[in-house]
Amino acid sequence: MMRRKGLVAILDGLLAYTVAFTAIGLVALLSTTAQEANLKTTYTLNVWAEDLADAVGMSLTDGAEDPTRWLDPDSIGDEKEAEIREALTASLGRIEARLGVQIRVEAGADTIYGDRLAGVGESATAKRFLVSSGGSVSVLKVEVGI
Amino acid sequence: MDMKMRSKSGKRGQVFAIDVLFSILPVMMILGASLQYAYLGEEQMKILSADSQRQGAMQALSEHVMAEYRSSPDGQPYVTAEPDYACGGLKDAIGNAPGMPQGYEYHVRVEMPSSSEEHICLDDELWSHGGTQLLDAYYVGMESSTRLPGASGIRFMLEYDEEGRPIPGQIAGVSFTVWDADPADYAKT
């Protein structure tokens, strides 16, 4: 009788261990899968923000001078600047609609495109320096959220 | 209820008590479920690993093309609505990609251009690398590739004019997609 009670106790212990092991394994697998999905989203948004920052930065140049040097929008001229802004608005609007993201672009204190990101779960920001012909520096900021 | 046997000498002995059997049952069930769970976890890891490799191959090609694009702002047009230039810069960058992993098909396509054409550069042609062929091979159509799992990503670059210079404000997307090479196509090459 005592031996049988001992055997049942061992089996109870084995049962408890197995349940605990399985539960912990399930929790670990679920949290790893969720973390991986978040990492991929964050990486993708960062890549998009960096690419758009390069493209917008390159757009704010005087192509006749040096297309690799980013200039302050004030040195481009009002008419040219208006053309560039209109093209940027159309391009960024297309990208927003196609990918289902929100985009905001600021150059210094000036908002070039978009409103404050609202209701986004993840976002990424890329920054570039804009250097004017006079040597003053302002910051170009591109935010992408989803 | 006891389960008892009689030995050769006629003595009765106990084999198993029913309560012990009942105690073993849930342990065996959970062990069985755990083994199934471990097997499913292993299969899931194989899928994740294959997905990760495809993502890596796609990112390798896209990073290479973007690096070439950034280092040659006044070179051949990358993405352009001018049909005569046929996105020569983009094609050259893909063709120059060194040591791309084998066993995949690589497709590059221009998306979201400022032009009214849905596809620019070369109408519906896609640049692709299938099986062991060189990266400057062409495939038309995507039907065979959509059956297989793939990885894709989009990068952005400025469009170019006919003089090979970026057009300010006109941003296009370039999508890079990688599929496992169809074994039937693989066998032909």
Side-chain angles (χ1 to χ4, degrees):
Chain A
M1 188 67 176
M2 291 300 293
R3 210 166 65 185
R4 198 157 73 216
K5 279 190 178 172
L7 185 60
V8 171
I10 290 170
L11 289 172
D12 281 342
L14 191 59
L15 173 63
Y17 172 78
T18 308
V19 167
F21 179 76
T22 306
I24 291 169
L26 267 173
V27 167
L29 181 66
L30 284 171
S31 68
T32 303
T33 307
Q35 275 179 7
E36 190 187 2
N38 283 340
L39 273 174
K40 281 185 179 172
T41 304
T42 304
Y43 173 80
T44 302
L45 288 176
N46 271 297
V47 167
W48 288 348
E50 294 291 334
D51 282 353
L52 289 174
D54 281 341
V56 173
M58 283 177 71
S59 296
L60 299 175
T61 64
D62 182 350
E65 294 292 330
D66 180 358
T68 61
R69 183 163 174 255
W70 300 333
L71 303 173
D72 184 86
D74 288 339
S75 65
I76 297 175
D78 291 341
E79 194 179 323
K80 180 76 174 167
E81 187 190 346
E83 276 180 31
I84 295 174
R85 280 177 181 254
E86 194 180 329
L88 278 174
T89 300
S91 295
L92 294 172
R94 239 185 352 261
I95 293 168
E96 273 191 330
R98 181 65 176 264
L99 298 178
V101 297
Q102 293 182 37
I103 299 174
R104 178 176 170 84
V105 178
E106 294 175 10
D110 188 19
T111 300
I112 292 184
Y113 179 84
D115 300 317
R116 286 193 179 276
L117 303 188
V120 295
E122 300 261 356
S123 68
T125 304
K127 293 181 181 175
R128 298 287 186 272
F129 290 117
L130 299 176
V131 182
S132 74
S133 52
S136 64
V137 177
S138 55
V139 176
L140 170 70
K141 188 166 89 166
V142 174
E143 291 177 84
V144 180
I146 191 166
Chain B
M1 178 178 107
D2 284 341
M3 295 175 68
K4 296 184 187 294
M5 290 180 64
R6 287 189 179 273
S7 65
K8 285 185 180 173
S9 59
K11 289 185 182 173
R12 293 180 68 191
Q14 181 169 313
V15 179
F16 268 120
I18 197 71
D19 54 349
V20 172
L21 286 174
F22 277 134
S23 298
I24 292 174
L25 185 62
V27 173
M28 299 308 293
M29 287 172 66
I30 289 177
L31 276 175
S34 300
L35 283 171
Q36 282 193 340
Y37 156 76
Y39 170 75
L40 287 173
E42 187 183 347
E43 292 298 310
Q44 184 71 14
M45 287 313 297
K46 283 182 190 172
I47 293 171
L48 286 175
S49 173
D51 282 346
S52 179
Q53 284 179 353
R54 278 189 289 271
Q55 280 283 342
M58 181 275 292
Q59 283 167 13
L61 180 60
S62 66
E63 286 293 335
H64 167 77
V65 169
M66 293 304 291
E68 292 276 305
Y69 158 74
R70 287 190 185 114
S71 65
S72 60
D74 261 351
Q76 283 196 59
Y78 273 72
V79 174
T80 176
E82 299 294 326
D84 292 342
Y85 291 89
C87 301
L90 189 52
K91 284 165 57 179
D92 284 350
I94 297 167
N96 289 338
M100 297 305 295
Q102 301 286 319
Y104 297 109
E105 286 191 19
Y106 299 84
H107 293 251
V108 181
R109 177 181 174 135
V110 174
E111 307 210 16
M112 298 174 275
S114 57
S115 158
S116 59
E117 296 291 324
E118 187 178 340
H119 314 295
I120 64 174
C121 296
L122 280 175
D123 294 330
D124 288 330
E125 284 196 17
L126 307 170
W127 301 284
S128 74
H129 170 176
T132 56
Q133 293 184 9
L134 296 175
L135 274 168
D136 57 358
Y138 289 84
Y139 281 92
V140 176
M142 296 170 63
E143 293 81 19
S144 63
S145 301
T146 52
R147 290 196 296 269
L148 300 168
S152 67
I154 290 183
R155 304 300 296 264
F156 299 105
M157 54 178 69
L158 284 177
E159 295 179 17
Y160 278 62
D161 60 20
E162 66 279 3
E163 293 174 11
R165 288 160 58 177
I167 305 173
Q170 291 190 6
I171 304 173
V174 180
S175 72
F176 299 84
T177 311
V178 173
W179 284 280
D180 289 341
D182 191 330
D185 292 338
Y186 211 53
K188 288 178 197 169
T189 58

Tab-separated table of all heavy atoms in Angstrom, chain A residues 104-128:
chain	number	residue	atom	x	y	z
A	104	ARG	N	5.410	61.618	-43.198
A	104	ARG	CA	5.525	63.046	-42.878
A	104	ARG	C	6.944	63.470	-43.176
A	104	ARG	O	7.904	62.782	-42.804
A	104	ARG	CB	5.207	63.286	-41.409
A	104	ARG	CG	5.351	64.744	-40.973
A	104	ARG	CD	4.928	64.913	-39.524
A	104	ARG	NE	5.252	66.213	-38.998
A	104	ARG	CZ	4.501	67.300	-39.154
A	104	ARG	NH1	3.377	67.236	-39.840
A	104	ARG	NH2	4.860	68.462	-38.623
A	105	VAL	N	7.074	64.624	-43.846
A	105	VAL	CA	8.397	65.135	-44.207
A	105	VAL	C	8.512	66.564	-43.714
A	105	VAL	O	7.666	67.390	-44.012
A	105	VAL	CB	8.613	65.090	-45.742
A	105	VAL	CG1	9.973	65.663	-46.093
A	105	VAL	CG2	8.473	63.674	-46.258
A	106	GLU	N	9.565	66.823	-42.953
A	106	GLU	CA	9.831	68.185	-42.466
A	106	GLU	C	11.236	68.575	-42.879
A	106	GLU	O	12.160	67.763	-42.776
A	106	GLU	CB	9.751	68.240	-40.936
A	106	GLU	CG	8.384	67.989	-40.364
A	106	GLU	CD	8.397	67.939	-38.840
A	106	GLU	OE1	9.427	68.291	-38.242
A	106	GLU	OE2	7.388	67.509	-38.269
A	107	ALA	N	11.390	69.827	-43.308
A	107	ALA	CA	12.727	70.356	-43.595
A	107	ALA	C	12.905	71.569	-42.699
A	107	ALA	O	12.316	72.612	-42.945
A	107	ALA	CB	12.848	70.739	-45.059
A	108	GLY	N	13.705	71.429	-41.665
A	108	GLY	CA	13.829	72.501	-40.671
A	108	GLY	C	12.491	72.687	-39.971
A	108	GLY	O	11.896	71.743	-39.464
A	109	ALA	N	12.004	73.935	-39.978
A	109	ALA	CA	10.710	74.207	-39.349
A	109	ALA	C	9.557	74.082	-40.339
A	109	ALA	O	8.392	74.229	-39.965
A	109	ALA	CB	10.728	75.621	-38.771
A	110	ASP	N	9.856	73.777	-41.579
A	110	ASP	CA	8.856	73.743	-42.640
A	110	ASP	C	8.360	72.319	-42.865
A	110	ASP	O	9.161	71.394	-42.950
A	110	ASP	CB	9.508	74.278	-43.923
A	110	ASP	CG	8.496	74.472	-45.027
A	110	ASP	OD1	7.286	74.547	-44.722
A	110	ASP	OD2	8.912	74.544	-46.192
A	111	THR	N	7.019	72.157	-42.944
A	111	THR	CA	6.470	70.828	-43.247
A	111	THR	C	6.282	70.726	-44.749
A	111	THR	O	5.529	71.500	-45.348
A	111	THR	CB	5.112	70.627	-42.557
A	111	THR	OG1	5.305	70.757	-41.147
A	111	THR	CG2	4.556	69.239	-42.856
A	112	ILE	N	6.970	69.765	-45.354
A	112	ILE	CA	6.898	69.607	-46.804
A	112	ILE	C	5.744	68.715	-47.186
A	112	ILE	O	5.100	68.910	-48.222
A	112	ILE	CB	8.225	69.039	-47.334
A	112	ILE	CG1	9.318	70.087	-47.159
A	112	ILE	CG2	8.110	68.590	-48.778
A	112	ILE	CD1	10.645	69.691	-47.723
A	113	TYR	N	5.462	67.686	-46.369
A	113	TYR	CA	4.382	66.761	-46.708
A	113	TYR	C	3.835	66.144	-45.439
A	113	TYR	O	4.583	65.790	-44.524
A	113	TYR	CB	4.904	65.650	-47.636
A	113	TYR	CG	3.829	64.649	-48.014
A	113	TYR	CD1	2.966	64.905	-49.070
A	113	TYR	CD2	3.676	63.468	-47.290
A	113	TYR	CE1	1.967	64.012	-49.394
A	113	TYR	CE2	2.677	62.571	-47.612
A	113	TYR	CZ	1.825	62.845	-48.670
A	113	TYR	OH	0.836	61.959	-48.989
A	114	GLY	N	2.509	65.991	-45.396
A	114	GLY	CA	1.867	65.159	-44.386
A	114	GLY	C	1.587	65.886	-43.076
A	114	GLY	O	2.072	66.990	-42.811
A	115	ASP	N	0.755	65.211	-42.264
A	115	ASP	CA	0.444	65.708	-40.923
A	115	ASP	C	1.136	64.820	-39.905
A	115	ASP	O	1.755	63.823	-40.259
A	115	ASP	CB	-1.079	65.647	-40.694
A	115	ASP	CG	-1.829	66.476	-41.703
A	115	ASP	OD1	-1.370	67.597	-41.983
A	115	ASP	OD2	-2.840	65.988	-42.231
A	116	ARG	N	0.964	65.165	-38.640
A	116	ARG	CA	1.507	64.313	-37.581
A	116	ARG	C	0.938	62.904	-37.716
A	116	ARG	O	-0.249	62.745	-37.945
A	116	ARG	CB	1.137	64.859	-36.207
A	116	ARG	CG	1.901	66.085	-35.819
A	116	ARG	CD	1.732	66.406	-34.344
A	116	ARG	NE	2.508	67.573	-34.009
A	116	ARG	CZ	3.792	67.564	-33.703
A	116	ARG	NH1	4.430	66.418	-33.671
A	116	ARG	NH2	4.430	68.663	-33.406
A	117	LEU	N	1.796	61.916	-37.531
A	117	LEU	CA	1.332	60.531	-37.642
A	117	LEU	C	0.334	60.242	-36.534
A	117	LEU	O	0.593	60.529	-35.362
A	117	LEU	CB	2.516	59.561	-37.529
A	117	LEU	CG	3.652	59.747	-38.522
A	117	LEU	CD1	4.645	58.606	-38.398
A	117	LEU	CD2	3.126	59.820	-39.939
A	118	ALA	N	-0.817	59.687	-36.921
A	118	ALA	CA	-1.873	59.413	-35.939
A	118	ALA	C	-2.302	57.959	-36.022
A	118	ALA	O	-2.462	57.424	-37.127
A	118	ALA	CB	-3.078	60.321	-36.210
A	119	GLY	N	-2.452	57.353	-34.876
A	119	GLY	CA	-2.985	55.989	-34.833
A	119	GLY	C	-2.052	54.946	-35.418
A	119	GLY	O	-2.509	53.906	-35.894
A	120	VAL	N	-0.732	55.207	-35.383
A	120	VAL	CA	0.184	54.215	-35.935
A	120	VAL	C	0.730	53.342	-34.807
A	120	VAL	O	0.959	53.819	-33.705
A	120	VAL	CB	1.349	54.891	-36.698
A	120	VAL	CG1	0.831	55.609	-37.908
A	120	VAL	CG2	2.147	55.808	-35.815
A	121	GLY	N	0.934	52.082	-35.118
A	121	GLY	CA	1.488	51.176	-34.127
A	121	GLY	C	3.004	51.209	-34.142
A	121	GLY	O	3.664	51.205	-33.115
A	122	GLU	N	3.556	51.235	-35.351
A	122	GLU	CA	5.019	51.268	-35.492
A	122	GLU	C	5.382	52.458	-36.377
A	122	GLU	O	4.628	52.795	-37.287
A	122	GLU	CB	5.509	49.999	-36.200
A	122	GLU	CG	5.189	48.724	-35.504
A	122	GLU	CD	6.357	48.190	-34.710
A	122	GLU	OE1	7.435	48.792	-34.781
A	122	GLU	OE2	6.162	47.194	-34.025
A	123	SER	N	6.526	53.053	-36.125
A	123	SER	CA	6.984	54.126	-37.000
A	123	SER	C	8.505	54.123	-37.034
A	123	SER	O	9.161	53.547	-36.169
A	123	SER	CB	6.464	55.484	-36.528
A	123	SER	OG	7.065	55.824	-35.294
A	124	ALA	N	9.037	54.772	-38.057
A	124	ALA	CA	10.486	54.893	-38.184
A	124	ALA	C	10.793	56.302	-38.658
A	124	ALA	O	9.989	56.915	-39.360
A	124	ALA	CB	11.031	53.867	-39.170
A	125	THR	N	11.947	56.814	-38.276
A	125	THR	CA	12.347	58.170	-38.630
A	125	THR	C	13.737	58.148	-39.228
A	125	THR	O	14.620	57.434	-38.734
A	125	THR	CB	12.362	59.071	-37.371
A	125	THR	OG1	11.088	59.033	-36.758
A	125	THR	CG2	12.683	60.511	-37.742
A	126	ALA	N	13.919	58.923	-40.290
A	126	ALA	CA	15.252	59.082	-40.876
A	126	ALA	C	15.538	60.573	-40.971
A	126	ALA	O	14.633	61.360	-41.260
A	126	ALA	CB	15.319	58.437	-42.256
A	127	LYS	N	16.783	60.946	-40.723
A	127	LYS	CA	17.134	62.375	-40.743
A	127	LYS	C	18.338	62.594	-41.652
A	127	LYS	O	19.232	61.751	-41.754
A	127	LYS	CB	17.473	62.855	-39.329
A	127	LYS	CG	16.276	62.846	-38.404
A	127	LYS	CD	16.631	63.355	-37.021
A	127	LYS	CE	15.418	63.300	-36.112
A	127	LYS	NZ	15.720	63.666	-34.722
A	128	ARG	N	18.339	63.744	-42.316
A	128	ARG	CA	19.474	64.144	-43.109
A	128	ARG	C	19.763	65.613	-42.813
A	128	ARG	O	18.888	66.349	-42.376
A	128	ARG	CB	19.182	63.992	-44.615
A	128	ARG	CG	18.903	62.574	-45.065
A	128	ARG	CD	20.155	61.731	-45.084
A	128	ARG	NE	19.908	60.407	-45.642
A	128	ARG	CZ	19.502	59.360	-44.950
A	128	ARG	NH1	19.254	59.479	-43.643
A	128	ARG	NH2	19.321	58.200	-45.531
